[in-house]
Amino acid sequence: MVGRRVSQALTVGDAQSYLSDVKEAFHDEPSKYQEFINILNGIRELSVDKDSIVERVEELLEDHQDLLHGFHVFLPDEAKRNKHPHTKKKHADVEEFMNNLKTRFKSLDKDVVATFCVVMTRFKEGRMSVKELQEEVIDTLYYHEDLIEEFLRVFKKKKDFVISAAQQLHDEICK
């Protein structure tokens, strides 16, 4: 299921395929896979609220963007729309970082912005982990410690915000 399109109406087969992908991804970390299953059992037993479930799964799958995207496919619309209270502030922080990046490299070195776009695109497509994203951005922004610090500050605020922030960065800068 990961990396493949699914029809609008999800099937049991889609869910089974996704679970197989998760199991395969954590084949060398069985405790993480078991934690994922325990989270899902919390859904079934209604012992955990939706926001907590989404937050726990996003934390667990933070280094597996493809699995995280797959998880979001199964969320009900209201869970997808549910934003944390500080979302506006976080988006403002992302926007500020984007403006600083574009301003700094507008005339200085346009290749830096292009490289940044390539990195963000790879992350957005699930081809790199959060850690790899951070390492690539640090390499790209070498000698610009203030931008590196700002990037890390924006992206470390909330792990579950990384995907939407990356999407926003990609969409704004890489047009």
Side-chain angles (χ1 to χ4, degrees):
M1 165 145 161
V2 173
R4 296 186 294 270
R5 289 260 183 230
V6 293
S7 63
Q8 285 289 68
L10 295 168
T11 66
V12 172
D14 293 331
Q16 290 170 335
S17 176
Y18 177 72
L19 287 174
S20 293
D21 291 339
V22 173
K23 188 172 187 173
E24 175 61 30
F26 291 120
H27 72 276
D28 58 342
E29 299 174 276
S31 63
K32 281 193 175 185
Y33 177 72
Q34 189 57 51
E35 183 179 348
F36 181 78
I37 295 301
N38 291 343
I39 293 168
L40 295 183
N41 287 335
I43 295 169
R44 190 179 65 214
E45 297 166 4
L46 300 173
S47 62
V48 183
D49 68 277
K50 289 177 189 171
D51 290 340
S52 296
I53 290 167
V54 171
E55 189 173 329
R56 286 178 59 201
V57 169
E58 287 177 341
E59 213 171 278
L60 185 67
L61 301 178
E62 71 181 343
D63 291 331
H64 300 273
Q65 293 305 305
D66 53 343
L67 296 176
L68 194 52
H69 291 302
F71 174 74
H72 284 276
V73 168
F74 291 97
L75 291 177
D77 288 339
E78 68 270 8
K80 292 175 187 173
R81 285 191 296 265
N82 234 355
K83 298 291 181 191
H84 296 281
H86 304 293
T87 298
K88 284 185 179 181
K89 169 75 171 115
K90 291 174 185 175
H91 283 289
D93 289 345
V94 170
E95 193 169 317
E96 182 181 341
F97 172 77
M98 293 183 300
N99 289 335
N100 290 342
L101 182 72
K102 287 191 268 189
T103 302
R104 173 83 49 92
F105 294 106
K106 186 177 187 177
S107 59
L108 187 62
D109 186 354
K110 292 181 181 181
D111 289 338
V112 170
V113 175
T115 301
F116 187 83
C117 287
V118 169
V119 170
M120 296 308 294
T121 300
R122 287 178 51 214
F123 178 77
K124 178 183 164 190
E125 293 171 349
R127 296 188 292 155
M128 67 173 33
S129 68
V130 171
K131 184 176 188 225
E132 291 169 326
L133 169 70
Q134 291 173 342
E135 290 170 355
E136 289 285 332
V137 169
I138 289 169
D139 287 346
T140 301
L141 300 178
Y142 193 69
Y143 289 123
H144 298 274
E145 286 83 11
D146 60 323
L147 288 176
I148 292 170
E149 287 176 25
E150 188 175 358
F151 175 82
L152 294 174
R153 179 182 53 81
V154 167
F155 279 84
K156 284 188 177 180
K157 279 188 172 182
K158 187 81 173 147
K159 292 176 183 176
D160 62 349
F161 186 66
V162 172
I163 294 170
S164 62
Q167 177 75 40
Q168 184 183 357
L169 276 170
H170 175 270
D171 292 348
E172 291 297 319
I173 294 179
C174 306
K175 292 178 183 175

